C-alpha cells in the first residue's frame, strides 16, 4: 500500500521515493518489509539443484547440506533466489574475519587507498584491533582505520568512475571465497560458475547503498551472489526502470541472495542498516562456536578468541556484504580498448556506497 501510494506521487521516480521513505522512516513499523523467515504472500519456495553439490563440498565451504537449505523466490522476480542462513554453526565467523583481516590486505584495493600512502594501508587490522577492543559507545571517539573502510575489491578490480573492469587491473581471487561461491552457484543451477571479481561493502548504522544496476560484467548469463554478515539491513529490489516501485525485504546475518536471469539486471539498493532485531548486540547465529572437527580440505579456519573479539566489537554497529561476480564468459576476453594502466584508475569513494557523516566536506548523494 505504501509503495502504491508513493508511486502515484509526482516528482521523483518511484524507486527513489521508496528509498527515501525507508531511509527516513520510524523503525517502529516495518510491516511492509518482506521477511523470508515467515514466508507468505508473494514469497514461494524455490527448488535447488541438490545433486550439484555433495554434502562433503558443502561442509568444506562451511555450509549445511543443500537438501537442508531454505530457499525462496518472489513473484514477479524470476531468477531471484533468497537463501536463509545456510551456514554451519560458527562458520560465519571465518568470512567476517577474512573480510576484516585478510581481504583488505594488498594487493587488493580499498577506499582508503584514495587518500592514504600505501604503507599506511598495508595492515588495517594491526593498526585497528587494539583501538576497536577498547572502543566504547561514545560517538566522539576517533574511528579506527577498519571503521573507515567502505569497500574492498578483489580479482578484477572495479573502477567506480568508469564503471568497468580491466584486464590490466587484476589480482588473484581468494581461493576460499571462490570455493564458497562455486558451491552456492551450483546449488542454484549454475555449475561452472567462476568467481572472478568481488566487491566487499562495509556498512555502519548511518550507511546506505545507492540505487544502481550491476551491469559492468561482460557476461550477464551468470548470477550475482550476495552474502551478508553482522547487523541486518533493508534491501530494495526494483525493476528494469526506476519508475517501477521496488519490493523491500530484510537481509539478516548469513543470508544469501542470488540475482540471475531476468533479475540479474534489476535496480536495487540498501537504504538502511538496522540494529539486530533480536534485541541483542549481535545476532544469535554469530554466538555459535565453530566445531573443532572440520572436514578434510575445509576452507574454513578457526578464529582465535582474540581475533573474534575484534570482529564482534566491529559488528556491533556494522554489517559486511560480499558480492561475487563472474566477469567474463568461458573463453571471453576484454575488448582491446580496455584500460592500459590499472594503477592510474581513479576511484570514487562515494559513487557506490554512501555514508551520512556530519564531518564530511560534501553532502553524500543518496542516489
Amino acid at each position: 500500500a505504501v509503495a502504491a501510494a508513493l508511486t502515484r506521487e509526482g516528482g521523483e521516480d518511484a524507486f527513489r521515493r521508496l528509498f527515501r521513505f525507508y531511509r527516513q522512516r520510524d523503525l517502529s513499523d516495518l510491516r511492509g518489509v518482506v521477511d523470508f523467515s515467515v514466508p507468505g504472500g508473494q514469497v514461494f519456495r524455490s527448488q535447488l539443484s541438490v545433486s550439484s553439490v555433495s554434502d562433503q563440498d558443502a561442509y568444506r565451504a562451511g555450509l549445511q547440506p543443500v537438501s537442508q537449505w531454505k530457499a525462496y523466490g518472489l513473484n514477479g522476480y524470476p531468477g531471484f533466489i533468497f537463501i536463509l542462513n545456510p551456514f554451519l554453526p560458527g562458520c560465519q565467523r571465518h568470512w567476517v574475519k577474512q573480510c576484516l583481516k585478510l581481504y583488505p590486505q594488498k594487493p587488493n584495493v580499498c577506499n582508503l587507498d584514495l587518500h592514504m600512502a600505501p604503507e599506511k594501508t598495508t595492515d588495517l587490522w594491526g593498526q585497528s584491533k587494539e583501538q576497536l577492543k577498547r572502543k566504547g559507545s561514545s560517538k566522539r571517539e576517533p574511528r579506527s582505520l577498519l571503521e573507515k573502510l567502505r569497500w574492498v575489491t578483489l580479482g578484477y578490480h572495479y573502477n567506480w568512475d568508469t564503471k568497468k573492469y580491466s584486464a590490466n587491473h587484476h589480482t588473484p581471487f581468494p581461493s576460499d571465497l571462490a570455493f564458497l561461491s562455486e558451491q552456492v552457484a551450483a546449488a542454484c543451477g549454475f555449475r561452472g560458475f567462476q568467481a572472478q571479481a568481488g566487491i566487499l561493502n562495509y556498512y555502519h548504522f548511518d550507511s546506505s547503498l545507492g540505487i544502481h544496476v550491476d551491469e559492468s560484467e561482460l557476461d550477464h548469463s551468470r548470477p550475482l551472489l550476495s552474502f551478508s554478515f553482522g547487523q541486518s539491513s533493508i534491501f530494495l529490489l526494483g525493476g528494469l526502470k526506476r519508475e517501477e516501485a521496488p519490493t523491500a525485504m530484510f537481509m539478516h546475518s548469513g543470508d544469501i541472495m542470488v540475482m540471475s536471469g531476468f533479475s540479474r539486471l534489476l535496480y536495487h539498493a540498501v537504504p538502511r542498516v538496522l540494529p539486530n532485531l533480536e534485541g541483542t548486540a549481535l545476532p544469535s547465529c554469530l554466538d555459535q562456536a565453530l566445531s573443532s572437527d572440520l572436514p578434510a580440505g575445509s576452507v574454513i579456519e578457526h578464529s582465535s578468541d582474540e581475533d573474534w573479539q575484534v570482529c564482534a566489537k566491529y559488528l556491533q554497529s556494522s554489517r559486511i556484504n560480499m558480492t561475487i561476480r563472474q566477469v567474463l564468459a568461458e573463453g571471453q576476453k576484454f575488448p582491446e580498448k580496455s584500460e592500459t594502466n590499472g594503477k592510474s584508475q581513479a576511484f570514487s569513494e562515494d559513487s557506490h556506497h554512501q555514508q551520512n557523516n556530519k564531518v564530511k566536506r560534501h553532502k553524500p548523494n543518496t542516489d
Side-chain angles (χ1 to χ4, degrees), residues 1-116:
V2 170
L6 290 173
T7 302
R8 289 194 295 268
E9 294 180 8
E12 297 173 321
D13 62 74
F15 201 126
R16 182 165 173 78
R17 284 197 293 272
L18 263 295
F19 183 97
R20 290 169 64 87
F21 174 78
Y22 282 109
R23 182 93 185 114
Q24 300 169 358
R25 78 170 304 179
D26 179 5
L27 292 179
S28 63
D29 183 6
L30 293 172
R31 288 176 294 177
V33 183
V34 174
D35 186 346
F36 287 94
S37 65
V38 284
Q42 66 185 116
V43 176
F44 61 89
R45 193 71 181 258
S46 282
Q47 297 299 314
L48 297 173
S49 180
V50 176
S51 61
S52 295
V53 180
S54 68
D55 290 356
Q56 185 68 12
D57 281 343
Y59 290 142
R60 289 176 59 207
L63 299 165
Q64 300 173 19
V66 177
S67 60
Q68 297 180 22
W69 295 8
K70 296 179 180 178
Y72 300 93
L74 276 176
N75 288 323
Y77 296 96
F80 176 76
I81 303 172
F82 192 103
I83 304 169
L84 284 174
N85 179 16
F87 289 94
L88 291 167
C91 289
Q92 287 189 54
R93 293 186 176 189
H94 169 84
W95 303 109
V96 172
K97 185 190 72 173
Q98 298 296 80
C99 287
L100 292 176
K101 187 175 183 179
L102 181 66
Y103 298 157
Q105 294 180 9
K106 298 292 168 277
N108 298 329
V109 181
C110 73
N111 63 288
L112 297 178
D113 297 325
L114 300 175
H115 46 78
M116 295 180 67

Side-chain angles (χ1 to χ4, degrees), residues 259-280:
M259 297 173 66
S260 67
F262 171 80
S263 294
R264 176 65 177 77
L265 296 175
L266 298 183
Y267 279 99
H268 54 280
V270 177
R272 194 72 170 261
V273 177
L274 304 168
N276 177 29
L277 301 181
E278 298 173 356
T280 52

Side-chain angles (χ1 to χ4, degrees), residues 103 106-108 153-157 169-175 178 195-196:
Y103 298 157
K106 298 292 168 277
N108 298 329
T153 53
L154 311 172
Y156 288 114
H157 296 282
H169 199 197
H170 174 269
T171 55
F173 194 93
S175 59
Q196 298 173 336

Side-chain angles (χ1 to χ4, degrees), residues 62 64 83-96 228-232 251-256 276-291 308 312 315:
Q64 300 173 19
I83 304 169
L84 284 174
N85 179 16
F87 289 94
L88 291 167
C91 289
Q92 287 189 54
R93 293 186 176 189
H94 169 84
W95 303 109
V96 172
S228 187
F229 304 107
Q231 301 298 324
S232 300
M251 277 201 77
H252 301 305
S253 192
D255 291 343
I256 301 173
N276 177 29
L277 301 181
E278 298 173 356
T280 52
L282 289 180
S284 56
C285 59
L286 290 172
D287 290 334
Q288 299 168 310
L290 183 64
S291 170
W308 179 243
L315 289 182

Side-chain angles (χ1 to χ4, degrees), residues 14 30 122 140 143 148 189 238 277 295 297 317 325 329 342:
L30 293 172
T122 54
R140 294 186 177 182
R143 291 186 301 160
K148 295 178 181 179
L277 301 181
S317 60
R325 308 109 188 280

